[in-house]
Amino acid sequence: MTAYDFLEHFSCPDCGSDVMKHESDLLCIECNRCFKVYNGICVDFIPKNKTVRKCETDLEERAFKVYGKLFDETFAWKENPKPWGLEVPQYYLKKLKKHKYQIGKLIPHKITKCVDVSTGSGRFSWDLAEKADMCVFCDISVDSVVYLTKRALAEKKSNVIIVRADYASPPFKTEVFDLCLCQDTLIYGYSHETNLLQTLHKITLKNGCAIIDFSNKYHHGFWHKPYTYRYSRKQMNNILQNSGFQIEECLPLYYELSNDLDEVNITSKIAKLVLPPTRYIYKIVK
């Protein structure tokens, strides 16, 4: 599969019109904007203009500056790309393994088309390519999309497409994916979270699902980034209930219990009585 095989599901991130193949790239049939395709499987779908978002706090302002830097970066085929999540301290790997394990409990048995929005290094989603008919990995980061493209080519993945995108202006038509994954991204403030969930709702098929997570307001681990938001369970539920999704399942995630994946040890059971979860992972259905 190549990006050209997915044309019926792409749309221009600027005007929303269809795109067509034009030589080796993609072209919007309405505004004539050209989108570069690399190695047949990677598309740079960054829109012309940044998202306009009102920042009401210093945390939101810092997060928006990070977004602006990633948006403005010129696409370049980097020799050694370093996406988020690729290089982490050794002690943190077990926590991420635990996180992925909990996500796995919520993945549907059958997947036709799935997308990971804000993929990073693909740590949580790369294995979905073995289960789904086709996978789209999206990120705004040049390092991320170059790394993922190189990995897909090296591993000869035939059902993977990589898209550089601003998820506030998704280059997809309505109701495309039966599974949307989005991890460690609903952390930049209420307006950001609301807009991102609107995007997920738009591109998710009717009766399809999304698997997302929030950081817990009452957990104070040192690994929380200084520019990220955390929420109470009540706040999480309110955000999701206003998104158009229905909550199907919610799993607490305890990074402190990463040595016990199924939390069956007596020490884990006791710890859960006093420790707040690090995050909550939700399966939500359209």
Side-chain angles (χ1 to χ4, degrees):
M1 174 175 285
T2 67
Y4 315 117
D5 299 315
F6 204 66
L7 280 179
E8 64 178 298
H9 302 298
F10 283 138
S11 64
C12 175
D14 294 320
C15 68
S17 300
D18 289 349
V19 295
M20 58 181 280
K21 184 178 180 182
H22 177 68
E23 297 180 351
S24 61
D25 299 318
L26 301 183
L27 183 73
C28 175
I29 64 171
E30 185 65 31
C31 68
N32 292 319
R33 176 113 186 266
C34 184
F35 302 96
K36 296 293 292 182
V37 177
Y38 301 88
N39 293 286
I41 62 169
C42 175
V43 189
D44 187 357
F45 260 129
I46 288 292
K48 281 187 176 180
N49 301 312
K50 294 188 187 76
T51 300
V52 176
R53 191 168 80 233
K54 184 179 179 181
C55 299
E56 298 181 351
T57 67
D58 289 341
L59 285 176
E60 287 179 291
E61 185 69 35
R62 277 183 278 175
F64 196 67
K65 286 181 179 178
V66 173
Y67 157 76
K69 183 178 180 181
L70 293 170
F71 185 100
D72 289 335
E73 184 175 5
T74 302
F75 194 100
W77 199 253
K78 300 184 178 184
E79 186 65 29
N80 296 300
K82 295 183 179 180
W84 176 89
L86 180 63
E87 297 179 355
V88 296
Q90 190 66 31
Y91 71 87
Y92 200 62
L93 290 175
K94 284 187 177 181
K95 302 179 191 304
L96 295 176
K97 181 180 178 181
K98 173 85 169 183
H99 193 149
K100 183 177 178 180
Y101 185 76
Q102 291 293 84
I103 292 171
K105 295 178 181 179
L106 302 176
I107 297 293
H109 293 298
K110 179 175 174 54
I111 309 169
T112 302
K113 292 188 291 292
C114 71
V115 62
D116 184 2
V117 176
S118 195
T119 306
S121 64
R123 183 180 298 276
F124 297 129
S125 58
W126 190 256
D127 292 345
L128 289 176
E130 302 298 325
K131 189 170 186 178
D133 292 343
M134 68 85 54
C135 285
V136 177
F137 298 108
C138 294
D139 208 290
I140 194 173
S141 163
V142 173
D143 280 81
S144 177
V145 297
V146 172
Y147 170 81
L148 293 167
T149 303
K150 287 187 173 186
R151 184 175 179 183
L153 293 171
E155 297 181 14
K156 298 181 179 179
K157 296 290 187 184
S158 60
N159 63 335
V160 165
I161 296 171
I162 318 297
V163 175
R164 185 180 181 218
D166 179 348
Y167 48 66
S169 302
F172 304 111
K173 294 181 180 178
T174 301
E175 298 190 347
V176 174
F177 303 99
D178 48 311
L179 172 63
C180 294
L181 189 69
C182 186
Q183 296 295 300
D184 199 21
T185 307
L186 292 162
I187 52 175
Y188 298 122
Y190 181 81
S191 63
H192 170 272
E193 273 61 299
T194 299
N195 291 336
L196 175 51
L197 285 165
Q198 287 175 348
T199 290
L200 295 179
H201 191 271
K202 173 183 179 290
I203 65 176
T204 302
L205 283 168
K206 182 67 175 176
N207 298 318
C209 68
I211 298 174
I212 55 92
D213 71 329
F214 293 97
S215 293
N216 183 14
K217 178 179 181 178
Y218 300 108
H219 186 278
H220 299 285
F222 61 85
W223 43 80
H224 291 300
K225 300 171 187 173
Y227 53 81
T228 60
Y229 268 72
R230 292 170 285 167
Y231 300 93
S232 67
R233 276 291 302 281
K234 183 177 180 180
Q235 290 172 319
M236 297 174 198
N237 290 341
N238 285 339
I239 291 171
L240 292 175
Q241 287 164 1
N242 292 328
S243 70
F245 283 106
Q246 300 296 316
I247 299 171
E248 181 173 292
E249 193 169 354
C250 177
L251 297 179
L253 172 62
Y254 296 87
Y255 273 6
E256 288 84 356
L257 306 181
S258 54
N259 287 321
D260 183 10
L261 288 178
D262 289 308
E263 299 164 4
V264 294
N265 296 336
I266 186 64
T267 52
S268 297
K269 293 179 179 179
I270 294 173
K272 288 171 66 174
L273 297 175
V274 294
L275 284 175
T278 313
R279 302 170 183 267
Y280 288 95
I281 304 175
Y282 284 84
K283 182 177 183 179
I284 50 179
V285 178
K286 182 173 177 179

